[in-house]
Amino acid sequence: MSDVPITKRDVSVASASVSTSTPPGWQKFTEKPDPATAKVVVKALQDTTFSVQQMAGMLAQRSAYERSTMSRLIVAQLKGNLALDFLKATAGVRLVKPKTPPQQVPQPEGDRAPGSNQSLEGLDLAAPGKGTVDLVELAKRTDDADDASSMAYLKKALADVNLISSSKTPYSQGRREALGNVAVAGQAHIVKQVGFRTASSKRTGQGGLSTQHDTVSSYWRTSFGEALAEFAEELQAGGKLKEGDILVNSPRVLRKLEMVLDPKVLAKLEIRPLKGETGISVLRGAAGTSVNWKDILEAIGATPSAYQLYELMDADQPRPQPNFDVDAHAELAQLITSSAFSRLQDIARGKGELAPVCATVEHLILGLTDKLGPYRYDALTADALRSLSRLLDIVVEDPNPSAALRAVDLMMDEIAVVLAVAKNYGRVDYWKTMQDVLLKRAPSIASNVGREIELSSHLMTSGMDALGTALYIALSSRRTDQVSRPTEGIDYFETGMLLGKLKKGEMAKPRKDVVVAALNPSTPFESSPAKNLVEGVLESLKARKRDDPPFALILDTTVEDGLDPSTGRTRLDEVLNGLKGAIADGSLEVFLCKSFQKYASFGTGKVAAGDLTVLSKKDGYASQRTQAEARLQELDLDLARHDEGQLVIHMLKHGNQDEQALMRSAAGNAEFVNKFCWPVTHPDLGSPYVEGIPLLLRSKAGGGIAELFQKLALVDWRGSFSFLRTSFVDLIPGPWGASTTDQREDWYTRINTGHESKQTMVEYFYAFGHLATGMPPGAKKPTTEVSLNMKGVKDHWDALGGVRDDDDADIARYRDSIRASYCAFACQNVVFKPDVLPMLVAFFATPTTGVSIETRRYLAGELLSRANFLKTLDTGALTDLCDRAMVGFQIPGLEKPDATVTLGALCRAAEVLPGWSMKPQAQGLKDRLGPGGHSKEEKRLRDLIDQALKA
């Protein structure tokens, strides 16, 4: 057999050729895989008579369970580079699945959700969008608990999901406790970071598949003050801090303060690193001054790295010794050859909403085989890899995409643990990786870099640190005039705070030849003017004199979109292609500033770092000073070798290509929300969709939008940009230069669309958007008064009933989800709970299969909870409830009120909920039903109640 090629990025080869020869002992090893039989096979690898690529290819021909078991046994007996080579070879070969002629039959009818075997079979094996089940495969695999496509495996995974979800303890809290039991001296800081890296939702009291951390800050750069107290207390115990001291990210902050402080104040200051000569430093001499230190230090990006602060607590601990009772290489081998991982790869190559997310997970996990691999004999690493396997089952098996996306968020902490222990990456890796990424996204300058253009990238503590550093470098060699901001309508709004002070001369003497712009807006009111920006800079260069310093363009590139269909280029490539001649001749220097706090591969990992990339003339006199100062800034920060740098570099190296796919996926949802769910009828009510940007701003007449958003039970409330799930950020001011009020209640809320289905977008936002704009279903413009109450909900519900399927294709497609959206809005905004009960009965009176499982479960819980407000559920009460539902809301096909209709609605709700979720309502429902009643609906409901009480 020929060796299977392994390339740096193509880590998922579709298949592997079958070897015509086998190593000694192979037959016995396949018949009885154990350490003894594996030892004979391994000897062939050690003697180099059989290559690791050949072995990986042969194993890929086995079943998933055999491949996983046999791979682990082999890795466990390999040492040093050979073990890592085998991992890399295995990462490069996908499982070869036997082809079985499909026998397709219609998917079972009904609207029962997961929890019922019938629905599980359809959800598990039906192709997306195809109502079919492969009976041959189903019969073959139903009872195979080791096959991730089997019913037995699915039931096991969902039982695990229910166990985790029913816990009031957040997953991250449990992980800190578990990891704390195996951590050794020097690893406490790694354990403490679990749950911190992925900033928690602002919603309190979340358990199950969620993050929790006592020290977490929703937006570290500006709100770290209280969290910092815990760090300061521990550091003070060692005598390293004194009262009045301020922690900053680098000793070089003192130089950047030259931009903003009076020389007399500056002369009283000193900065000393806490340890060594670089990194987190103490600013002294600030006490007693009238300076607003908080605002100034935030504006220049001086906030210290939280991850470095954690590390400082363990700074004097020795490196952990090997623990030969564990084998992280074997754990990783088992993970990447498992049936669940093969299923993840299948999903990643599909067209569902989880495809780009699963591709990201695939590449980040396979990337763990890169460099030196995990620290092999470390219990913390092995435990993290086992947790990754557990979370992987949730991602690929739970039919609720929301749970899968939450699980992926949690996986980032486990990957970070593996990387923090191994510490394989350094500054050179960061430089090379960022250059590779930039040249992929701006290929038009590839031939110029290294010959005419010098390119260098530098890891900063935040996007504002990158911006502040770029401004310092650009302004420190200039003296007069003013800063130009031609794109102020779309600037990232913190940029406006900083540059507004510069324009007024409050922080530094501004210049005309220093331009600060945003490539793409985070407050998206207009498209990115790449062409205008290039033309404006080139026009300004005409006034430049020979001895003038190079013109400086400082560009915020945090939000990067993909290729523009009209040009075939990214916006970044458009800008750099248009300016590369000016960079090469030394008349222009470009500073690209990026915040990873928003996107380290678009929200898959929360880090507070940033990047500053500098492009200047190769070997130019002025450029040498610029490049040297940028390198000194990075060296004094000293981030790359620390925990934070490990995750950033890994994600950039192994997930950069997925960032663009994730952007496209989320941007598609933003476009859909803007067009169908919440159209903007007036500029004061929100921003239009900007091509390629997954962000929308929304407001409503009279203000107060934030309060209403905070009631959205199904959407994450964040303090930063999107994660994988859809979220919102409240209190966003309008575009700079266009704001007409400083009243916070009149500011916008930003929707950060995630990767759920469009069906889910409808459920999240349709009712809210149409009620807030006075546009009932079917209306093309506002036709009613804005009425965000039960009357408005009823009016819109009636209007929906009047829209025929052939009137509006989208309404026809999403009709059930639209109804669900109005139900959810009513549950969250109507104060008197019984008012919503008839509406929920009307909703569940007919099958609800057109609604996502997450929304169905939410509404089911609301229905059963509100039913418990009734004194009794006897025939009279049930009939009366059905009558109220019919009067207020249309129930298709129903002519007269009937108790069985209400019972059927309660059954459908109960069937949707896992037993643990229904349990709090079960006893109350049982008591209210009372004795008697023999209809099939009541019998079914009683059975479901009894099952819940036993859960």
Side-chain angles (χ1 to χ4, degrees):
M1 181 185 91
S2 60
D3 289 357
V4 178
I6 301 175
T7 63
K8 192 171 185 179
R9 288 307 317 148
D10 185 10
V11 289
S12 54
V13 178
S15 63
S17 56
V18 182
S19 177
T20 56
S21 62
T22 59
W26 178 256
Q27 187 62 34
K28 289 185 177 180
F29 182 46
T30 59
E31 293 170 357
K32 185 185 177 184
D34 61 22
T37 55
K39 188 174 183 179
V40 179
V41 173
V42 164
K43 192 174 186 305
L45 296 177
Q46 293 169 334
D47 296 341
T48 68
T49 57
F50 213 78
S51 74
V52 292
Q53 287 84 6
Q54 288 175 298
M55 185 69 73
M58 290 178 63
L59 288 169
Q61 306 291 330
R62 315 296 300 183
S63 70
Y65 175 70
E66 290 176 310
R67 184 192 187 202
S68 184
T69 302
M70 295 163 73
S71 295
R72 183 185 179 105
L73 287 168
I74 289 173
V75 170
Q77 297 196 41
L78 295 174
K79 305 298 179 186
N81 290 337
L82 191 56
L84 189 58
D85 288 345
F86 180 80
L87 278 177
K88 292 177 180 177
T90 302
V93 184
R94 284 196 63 197
L95 179 70
V96 179
K97 299 179 180 178
K99 294 182 179 179
T100 306
Q103 179 184 341
Q104 303 288 354
V105 299
Q107 183 176 336
E109 294 290 334
D111 63 308
R112 290 191 293 176
S116 141
N117 288 352
Q118 295 275 339
S119 292
L120 283 180
E121 291 165 7
L123 284 166
D124 183 36
L125 294 176
K130 312 284 187 184
T132 57
V133 177
D134 187 333
L135 288 187
V136 174
E137 286 298 302
L138 179 60
K140 181 179 175 183
R141 300 181 180 183
T142 294
D143 298 321
D144 187 351
D146 298 311
D147 189 330
S149 66
S150 75
M151 285 298 301
Y153 195 104
L154 178 59
K155 291 174 186 176
K156 179 179 67 175
L158 289 179
D160 205 20
V161 173
N162 289 341
L163 180 64
I164 295 170
S165 300
S166 62
S167 173
K168 294 182 180 179
T169 302
Y171 191 85
S172 57
Q173 181 178 328
R175 289 300 297 142
R176 285 196 300 276
E177 294 169 1
L179 290 169
N181 292 330
V182 297
V184 297
Q187 294 182 329
H189 69 282
I190 298 175
V191 176
K192 288 180 180 179
Q193 291 176 37
V194 172
F196 179 90
R197 181 169 281 100
T198 304
S200 59
S201 170
K202 286 187 176 183
R203 300 196 189 282
T204 58
Q206 291 190 326
L209 281 171
S210 65
T211 58
Q212 173 275 336
H213 201 288
D214 293 338
T215 331
V216 76
S217 170
S218 60
Y219 200 75
W220 178 255
R221 184 181 61 79
T222 57
S223 54
F224 72 97
E226 292 182 9
L228 197 60
E230 179 179 314
F231 296 111
E233 185 177 341
E234 292 203 29
L235 294 170
Q236 281 170 339
K240 296 177 181 178
L241 289 178
K242 299 178 182 178
E243 189 173 349
D245 287 349
I246 299 175
L247 288 177
V248 293
N249 57 10
S250 161
R252 216 160 188 82
V253 165
L254 196 58
R255 288 177 175 265
K256 290 163 72 174
L257 286 171
E258 294 172 2
M259 285 193 297
V260 297
L261 292 181
D262 184 285
K264 293 179 181 179
V265 176
L266 198 65
K268 297 177 182 178
L269 303 178
E270 64 171 332
I271 291 184
R272 292 182 181 177
L274 272 174
K275 183 177 179 61
E277 298 179 353
T278 59
I280 305 293
S281 300
V282 178
L283 173 65
R284 287 192 175 135
T289 64
S290 59
V291 175
N292 184 340
W293 290 104
K294 182 179 184 297
D295 284 355
I296 283 182
L297 292 172
E298 286 174 8
I300 64 171
T303 305
S305 161
Y307 311 101
Q308 276 186 293
L309 286 167
Y310 275 117
E311 287 184 87
L312 281 170
M313 297 178 185
D314 279 348
D316 299 325
Q317 296 288 342
R319 184 176 175 86
Q321 295 299 306
N323 178 352
F324 295 109
D325 292 332
V326 297
D327 188 339
H329 284 187
E331 297 286 353
L332 182 55
Q334 184 167 345
L335 172 60
I336 64 176
T337 56
S338 67
S339 181
F341 195 80
S342 177
R343 189 167 173 79
L344 177 88
Q345 293 175 309
D346 290 340
I347 297 171
R349 282 148 190 78
K351 295 182 178 180
E353 63 264 26
L354 290 182
V357 177
C358 287
T360 302
V361 173
E362 175 192 5
H363 295 145
L364 293 179
I365 291 178
L366 291 180
L368 295 176
T369 65
D370 194 20
K371 298 281 286 185
L372 302 176
Y375 188 43
R376 185 166 190 174
Y377 301 111
D378 176 71
L380 205 64
T381 300
D383 198 275
L385 289 169
R386 286 191 289 271
S387 180
L388 271 176
S389 295
R390 186 186 193 195
L391 292 168
L392 181 63
D393 280 343
I394 296 172
V395 173
V396 302
E397 297 296 347
D398 193 345
N400 179 0
S402 178
L405 295 174
R406 289 183 187 277
V408 173
D409 275 344
L410 296 168
M411 292 177 92
M412 296 306 116
D413 264 327
E414 309 296 351
I415 292 173
V417 168
V418 176
L419 296 168
V421 174
K423 275 192 166 47
N424 289 331
Y425 297 119
R427 290 190 188 97
V428 174
D429 297 291
Y430 183 76
W431 299 338
K432 289 181 177 178
T433 299
M434 280 303 295
Q435 178 166 312
D436 288 345
V437 172
L438 179 63
L439 295 184
K440 283 179 184 176
R441 298 180 182 183
S444 62
I445 65 167
S447 60
N448 305 92
V449 170
R451 294 193 304 109
E452 303 164 288
I453 295 176
E454 183 171 357
L455 184 157
S456 63
S457 294
H458 312 280
L459 188 59
M460 303 278 113
T461 51
S462 67
M464 286 303 289
D465 185 16
L467 178 64
T469 299
L471 275 168
Y472 165 70
I473 295 171
L475 294 174
S476 60
S477 61
R478 293 163 168 84
R479 296 180 182 176
T480 57
D481 294 321
Q482 88 184 91
V483 171
S484 172
R485 296 182 59 232
T487 60
E488 63 184 24
I490 63 165
D491 276 342
Y492 181 45
F493 69 88
E494 277 98 340
T495 305
M497 296 175 189
L498 173 60
L499 298 180
K501 293 182 179 182
L502 279 171
K503 289 180 106 176
K504 297 174 186 176
E506 293 177 12
M507 297 183 66
K509 289 187 177 181
R511 295 273 306 186
K512 279 184 177 177
D513 56 357
V514 177
V515 173
V516 182
L519 181 69
N520 282 310
S522 66
T523 50
F525 273 87
E526 57 187 80
S527 298
S528 174
K531 181 179 179 182
N532 293 345
L533 178 62
V534 170
E535 291 174 350
V537 170
L538 294 178
E539 183 64 30
S540 297
L541 289 178
K542 293 178 181 179
R544 180 179 176 272
K545 298 176 183 177
R546 181 174 182 180
D547 295 330
D548 286 346
F551 190 97
L553 170 63
I554 300 172
L555 195 60
D556 181 349
T557 59
T558 290
V559 185
E560 290 189 53
D561 57 358
L563 295 178
D564 183 338
S566 64
T567 63
R569 300 181 186 276
T570 63
R571 285 194 174 95
L572 179 61
D573 196 26
E574 275 189 76
V575 171
L576 294 182
N577 181 55
L579 298 177
K580 63 185 179 182
I583 300 171
D585 68 24
S587 58
L588 171 68
E589 293 177 344
V590 176
F591 300 81
L592 305 178
C593 304
K594 191 174 182 71
S595 170
F596 295 132
Q597 181 158 344
K598 282 66 177 186
Y599 302 103
S601 287
F602 196 61
T604 50
K606 176 78 173 182
V607 289
D611 172 72
L612 171 62
T613 292
V614 182
L615 296 101
S616 60
K617 179 182 179 181
K618 178 73 173 175
D619 298 328
Y621 176 77
S623 299
Q624 287 177 346
R625 177 198 172 279
T626 295
Q627 294 285 356
E629 184 59 42
R631 289 191 182 95
L632 288 171
Q633 291 281 348
E634 180 189 26
L635 290 171
D636 275 358
L637 284 168
D638 190 23
L639 290 175
R641 65 185 177 90
H642 294 287
D643 295 351
E644 183 175 20
Q646 300 304 301
L647 182 60
V648 171
I649 296 168
H650 187 78
M651 298 190 78
L652 289 169
K653 187 172 185 179
H654 297 287
N656 71 81
Q657 79 280 23
D658 300 308
E659 183 179 353
Q660 302 294 315
L662 289 167
M663 285 284 283
R664 287 192 297 272
S665 167
N669 275 341
E671 182 178 21
F672 177 72
V673 169
N674 183 73
K675 177 183 176 182
F676 182 66
C677 303
W678 198 329
V680 172
T681 57
H682 189 278
D684 288 345
L685 300 180
S687 64
Y689 169 69
V690 175
E691 182 67 35
I693 306 302
L695 307 169
L696 299 168
L697 296 184
R698 288 297 181 265
S699 185
K700 73 174 185 65
I705 193 72
E707 182 182 355
L708 290 171
F709 261 96
Q710 289 162 18
K711 295 177 181 179
L712 296 181
L714 299 175
V715 184
D716 273 353
W717 178 14
R718 298 282 183 180
S720 187
F721 278 30
S722 179
F723 282 64
L724 297 174
R725 296 181 74 244
T726 297
S727 63
F728 69 89
V729 182
D730 54 358
L731 300 177
I732 300 289
W736 291 98
S739 295
T740 58
T741 177
D742 291 327
Q743 298 298 315
R744 291 166 70 86
E745 62 268 20
D746 291 337
W747 286 1
Y748 295 89
T749 291
R750 185 174 62 214
I751 298 171
N752 314 308
T753 49
H755 305 282
E756 300 95 332
S757 65
K758 288 182 172 55
Q759 168 194 44
T760 304
M761 295 296 113
V762 173
E763 292 155 18
Y764 286 168
F765 298 119
Y766 188 94
F768 193 177
H770 283 71
L771 287 166
T773 53
M775 292 176 61
K780 303 303 179 185
K781 60 182 181 179
T783 58
T784 63
E785 292 184 5
V786 173
S787 181
L788 293 161
N789 53 30
M790 199 64 195
K791 179 182 182 304
V793 170
K794 286 182 178 180
D795 289 344
H796 280 230
W797 186 284
D798 291 342
L800 176 64
V803 180
R804 298 180 310 177
D805 284 353
D806 55 2
D807 290 337
D808 190 310
D810 282 333
I811 286 180
R813 185 179 300 113
Y814 299 112
R815 187 178 294 274
D816 287 346
S817 290
I818 293 171
R819 293 170 65 231
S821 184
Y822 281 104
C823 286
F825 185 88
C827 289
Q828 294 152 15
N829 289 277
V830 175
V831 177
F832 189 56
K833 292 186 177 183
D835 281 355
V836 187
L837 186 55
M839 184 182 192
L840 292 171
V841 170
F843 175 74
F844 280 104
T846 55
T848 59
T849 46
V851 180
S852 73
I853 185 62
E854 182 186 29
T855 301
R856 287 159 69 191
R857 284 177 174 171
Y858 168 71
L859 295 176
E862 292 292 320
L863 171 58
L864 299 183
S865 174
R866 282 165 165 76
N868 269 327
F869 278 84
L870 300 175
K871 292 182 180 179
T872 180
L873 290 174
D874 60 20
T875 301
L878 293 169
T879 303
D880 177 65
L881 187 53
C882 180
D883 184 38
R884 285 194 286 150
M886 290 177 63
V887 171
F889 306 93
Q890 300 167 4
I891 303 177
L894 192 63
E895 297 180 359
K896 63 179 181 177
D898 189 339
T900 60
V901 173
T902 305
L903 283 170
L906 293 173
C907 280
R908 286 191 177 89
E911 287 171 342
V912 165
L913 294 172
W916 63 266
S917 180
M918 181 182 166
K919 192 171 185 177
Q921 314 299 336
Q923 189 61 54
L925 290 170
K926 188 172 185 177
D927 294 341
R928 284 164 176 76
L929 278 171
H934 301 289
S935 70
K936 64 178 182 178
E937 291 86 1
E938 185 168 349
K939 288 179 180 178
R940 175 63 179 154
L941 182 57
R942 289 181 185 279
D943 287 343
L944 292 166
I945 289 172
D946 289 339
Q947 291 172 24
L949 289 172
K950 295 174 183 177

